[in-house]
Amino acid sequence: MENMEPHKNSATRTPLNSVVQRRSKSRSYRQSYRSCLGAASRLCFTPAMTSRRLNTIRKAPKLNNIVDKVDAQQLALLMKTEWQLSCVTPLHHFRYTQLKSYARQLSEYMTAEKQQGLAVGVEGALSFRVTFSVVQGMAQTDVDAETVLIQIFSKPLFARKDEPAIMNEVWKGWLTCINGSSDYINSLPKDFTCLPLFGSSGLATLTALVKSWFQRNFDCCFAPSDISHTSLQWLVALWTNCHTESDIQQLKMIWTIPVVPLLQVTYSVSPVDAWHLWCSVRRDSQEMEEQDSIVIDEVMRLMKGLMCHFYRHFRVDLSAGSLTSVSTALGTAKGSGKIKFSNSKCMTTMLTLLTECAFLRMPI
């Protein structure tokens, strides 16, 4: 399909030298990115970027009512859904003005793959309808690109003739950048759009097709985006800090202890106990000049307090293991890279941290 070959089309409108230069730039991004894949350490940085690590100080989250900025129907599509995260290199020649065209191209691409006998996973589906839409109001800074929401619908092949032509949503996903690194974004050539965090919900085969289409059209690369032990600890502190404004109901953590057989520990803490411990940690901070900031030392002291309490009761040293899951009434995050937004007021806090994690895997 010619419209699935953007390089061929663009070559007819662009001088050869420009095409070669454009491909060279985008290929260098892909190659440098792939050289880093799989090498990210537990501290969430790559060997090529040893100076780039998670921030050690963050602003205390303020529960902003995102409903006032984001369309309610679009927001509902993001809530109460478990998303599988990936990180994405910058998109080359991505244009917000072309979203309708992208939807048509992706639909045609997926239908063609299905007709060629490739297993898509949607039983009986012959054609797909795709929509691209901009989620206005999610961006937090001037350098943040607007969030893009993608939905895929399918009508069963053997639907009854007397039934209305209803197409069911079979997949959805989004690309976003919340409080992105201005240094990194400003260093990119102007033809690149940075949306480093990708969330998907639906069949893995459909996710693979969407990623494949993006890679073909925008010279980007995808990689799994797990959530590190340290990032999960940050979420424990950030969510606990929100308790007085929005009841977290219960702080639930899952730890994996490396013994034989492998031991998985579920640790639930009442919100009042978690809040009191957090308040004591904050009071013990040495004259914090900015009380609206949280530093990594406070996070570590909170976690130490929780682990010591658990050890006193059960004689199990959680520090010997890894934190693999955290959940409250505000959201859920798993080390495998799965997240769920349970409260829209805390989405910005979660996405800021996850965007930062995605940037740490970007090539220089």
Side-chain angles (χ1 to χ4, degrees):
M1 297 177 61
E2 289 186 1
N3 60 347
M4 292 295 103
E5 299 290 342
H7 299 311
K8 292 180 181 179
N9 292 341
S10 61
T12 62
R13 301 188 303 268
T14 311
L16 179 60
N17 290 340
S18 176
V19 175
V20 173
Q21 183 179 22
R22 186 190 72 186
R23 290 185 178 177
S24 176
K25 285 183 179 180
S26 58
R27 187 177 297 113
S28 67
Y29 272 94
R30 296 201 307 273
Q31 290 175 345
S32 61
Y33 183 61
R34 286 173 177 147
S35 69
C36 294
L37 296 183
S41 75
R42 181 174 170 182
L43 294 178
C44 199
F45 63 90
T46 62
M49 299 175 285
T50 54
S51 63
R52 296 174 62 186
R53 309 190 184 197
L54 278 174
N55 288 331
T56 58
I57 183 170
R58 301 177 186 281
K59 287 189 176 296
K62 295 181 180 179
L63 295 183
N64 58 328
N65 193 357
I66 200 171
V67 178
D68 296 337
K69 300 179 180 179
V70 180
D71 178 76
Q73 291 184 341
Q74 289 183 317
L75 190 60
L77 292 171
L78 302 176
M79 300 293 296
K80 312 296 183 182
T81 298
E82 185 172 72
W83 303 97
Q84 180 65 59
L85 299 180
S86 299
C87 51
V88 194
T89 54
L91 310 180
H92 192 233
H93 278 191
F94 178 85
R95 298 287 184 266
Y96 284 91
T97 55
Q98 299 296 315
L99 294 186
K100 287 186 178 180
S101 175
Y102 297 157
R104 176 182 53 80
Q105 292 176 38
L106 177 55
S107 176
E108 292 173 353
Y109 173 72
M110 297 181 67
T111 301
E113 293 295 294
K114 179 68 174 179
Q115 290 174 341
Q116 289 175 14
L118 299 180
V120 174
V122 181
E123 185 176 356
L126 180 62
S127 62
F128 298 91
R129 180 170 66 86
V130 180
T131 63
F132 279 66
S133 56
V134 179
V135 185
Q136 297 283 357
M138 294 282 288
Q140 299 295 304
T141 67
D142 293 338
V143 299
D144 289 347
E146 290 288 357
T147 298
V148 176
L149 176 66
I150 308 165
Q151 294 174 270
I152 299 175
F153 302 86
S154 175
K155 179 183 177 182
L157 178 62
F158 300 106
R160 291 173 53 182
K161 293 183 179 180
D162 57 345
E163 291 180 346
I166 297 177
M167 300 190 78
N168 300 318
E169 183 185 75
V170 294
W171 186 94
K172 58 184 176 180
W174 42 263
L175 291 151
T176 195
C177 178
I178 305 298
N179 287 311
S181 168
S182 58
D183 290 341
Y184 182 88
I185 295 173
N186 290 331
S187 70
L188 293 173
K190 63 180 180 179
D191 288 335
F192 286 89
T193 300
C194 194
L195 290 164
L197 192 62
F198 173 72
S200 61
S201 175
L203 291 169
T205 49
L206 292 179
T207 302
L209 284 177
V210 173
K211 289 181 177 180
S212 174
W213 181 84
F214 267 92
Q215 288 171 170
R216 290 180 179 215
N217 284 269
F218 304 111
D219 284 326
C220 60
C221 287
F222 290 79
S225 183
D226 55 358
I227 305 175
S228 70
H229 174 83
T230 304
S231 297
L232 291 173
Q233 291 182 99
W234 265 108
L235 283 174
V236 171
L238 294 171
W239 281 340
T240 301
N241 191 79
C242 294
H243 175 62
T244 55
E245 298 180 56
S246 182
D247 186 1
I248 64 173
Q249 296 182 17
Q250 186 182 64
L251 172 61
K252 181 179 178 181
M253 298 168 285
I254 297 178
W255 295 74
T256 300
I257 311 299
V259 295
V260 181
L262 199 65
L263 177 63
Q264 190 175 77
V265 175
T266 299
Y267 183 9
S268 297
V269 184
S270 75
V272 175
D273 291 341
W275 173 250
H276 287 165
L277 177 58
W278 178 240
C279 288
S280 68
V281 167
R282 294 285 277 173
R283 283 196 302 269
D284 292 342
S285 297
Q286 296 179 356
E287 297 182 2
M288 284 287 295
E289 293 183 3
E290 298 183 16
Q291 286 299 319
D292 63 342
S293 295
I294 297 174
V295 297
I296 187 64
D297 287 346
E298 293 174 311
V299 177
M300 295 297 103
R301 286 201 295 274
L302 172 65
M303 298 307 300
K304 183 177 180 180
L306 292 170
M307 289 186 286
C308 288
H309 178 76
F310 192 86
Y311 182 80
R312 284 196 300 270
H313 286 273
F314 303 102
R315 289 296 185 266
V316 175
D317 186 4
L318 295 178
S319 65
S322 296
L323 183 60
T324 57
S325 177
V326 180
S327 64
T328 69
L330 304 180
T332 301
K334 300 178 181 179
S336 59
K338 293 182 178 180
I339 63 165
K340 180 186 291 186
F341 306 114
S342 302
N343 188 316
S344 61
K345 293 181 180 180
C346 207
M347 284 182 65
T348 301
T349 298
M350 291 180 66
L351 289 172
T352 296
L353 175 63
L354 296 171
T355 297
E356 182 185 338
C357 293
F359 269 109
L360 292 179
R361 301 198 69 182
M362 292 295 110
I364 297 176

